[in-house]
Amino acid sequence: MKILSIQSAVAYGHVGNSAAVFPLQRIGVEVLPVYTVNFSNHTGYGAWRGPLISPDDVAAVITGIEERGVFPQIDVVLSGYQGGEGIGDVILDAVARIKAANPSAIYACDPVMGNAKSGCFVAPAIPVLLRDRVVPQADLITPNQFELGYLTDTSPDTLESTLASVDLVRASGPRTVLVTSVERPDREEGTIEMIAVDDAGAWIVQTPLIPMKANGSGDVTAALFTAHYRRTGDAADALARTTSSVFDLLERTHASGERELQLVESQEAYANPRLQFTVHQVR
């Protein structure tokens, strides 16, 4: 499997491609990383150095890959945080060209906008761009519960309302949806859930809530779920494997006391997930 991953990169820490590439490689995926920024560290520190990469330069890198004759071999285009409006056009153009070269390729979009605690943390134009132009072109999306609400102009909280919101966004284009950071009012205290939905059904998994903010964990989640799902076409299996790997990554990171994900130290959790959490079909 080959994945073209168009995301940010940092020298210190693990977000964007700096979070997604290694776990994908560890499960046997060939990754072609294309960077949209090259920062010293993620912006959560409040200070960073390094350049935003212009949409024209990102497009040039993708064209160079095309000129090597690789497009027919690419199985997935994966995108995450979009720092500006121009990069959306570059991504959609790349998706169209790759699908023309390989009609079985899919586009997986992590529509990064914000979260329930922080609200939106992207430029005001980005959520509109994602909702109106990018998400409808995706085959698979991985929003958190907050982002799902924005994409559908709803307020999902219960299982029923979250599934209804998923149905709305699926009607707009993407057939497969992974909803992360699901916090239902009636869930067991100290837990958090994820829900995966495709044409075959809907599944939910619950884990203990690890009390920490982990920049980059969503990027790892999107990458692993996309790869597992593309490989098997089984949403329940992809959900189980991804949940196991990410939980063990977060548990190890929390225990370390470090702010940055313990990405390399947790590599066995990607290659051989323990599958310690039960996935339940809810529809």
Side-chain angles (χ1 to χ4, degrees), residues 81-85 112-113 120-130 150:
Y81 170 78
Q82 298 185 21
E85 295 179 69
V112 178
M113 304 177 206
C120 275
F121 50 64
V122 297
I126 297 302
V128 178
L129 170 72
L130 289 168
Y150 181 87

Side-chain angles (χ1 to χ4, degrees), residues 248-267:
D248 283 352
L249 166 63
L250 293 177
E251 189 174 52
R252 179 182 289 270
T253 300
H254 186 246
S256 74
E258 297 290 334
R259 176 170 179 173
E260 296 292 343
L261 291 176
Q262 300 298 287
L263 195 79
V264 175
E265 295 83 348
S266 304
Q267 61 182 285

Side-chain angles (χ1 to χ4, degrees), residues 82-116:
Q82 298 185 21
E85 295 179 69
I87 199 65
D89 291 324
V90 173
I91 292 168
L92 291 178
D93 179 66
V95 168
R97 286 152 57 194
I98 287 168
K99 286 190 170 187
N102 178 13
S104 68
I106 67 168
Y107 172 35
C109 172
D110 185 9
V112 178
M113 304 177 206
N115 56 59

Side-chain angles (χ1 to χ4, degrees), residues 42 72 118 165 183:
H42 68 70
S118 304
S165 297
E183 298 186 66

Side-chain angles (χ1 to χ4, degrees), residues 159 163 166-167 170 174-179 194-204 225 229 233-237 239 279-283:
L159 176 59
L163 290 174
V166 170
D167 289 341
R170 291 181 75 233
R175 301 307 302 164
T176 304
V177 178
L178 174 71
V179 188
M194 289 200 291
I195 296 172
V197 183
D198 68 1
D199 289 341
W203 293 267
I204 192 168
F225 182 84
Y229 185 77
D234 186 331
D237 179 73
L239 180 61
V279 174
H280 299 282
Q281 187 163 9
V282 291
R283 193 171 66 189

Side-chain angles (χ1 to χ4, degrees), residues 4 72 111 129 166 201 205 215 247:
L4 178 72
L129 170 72
V166 170
V205 64
N215 295 90
F247 179 83

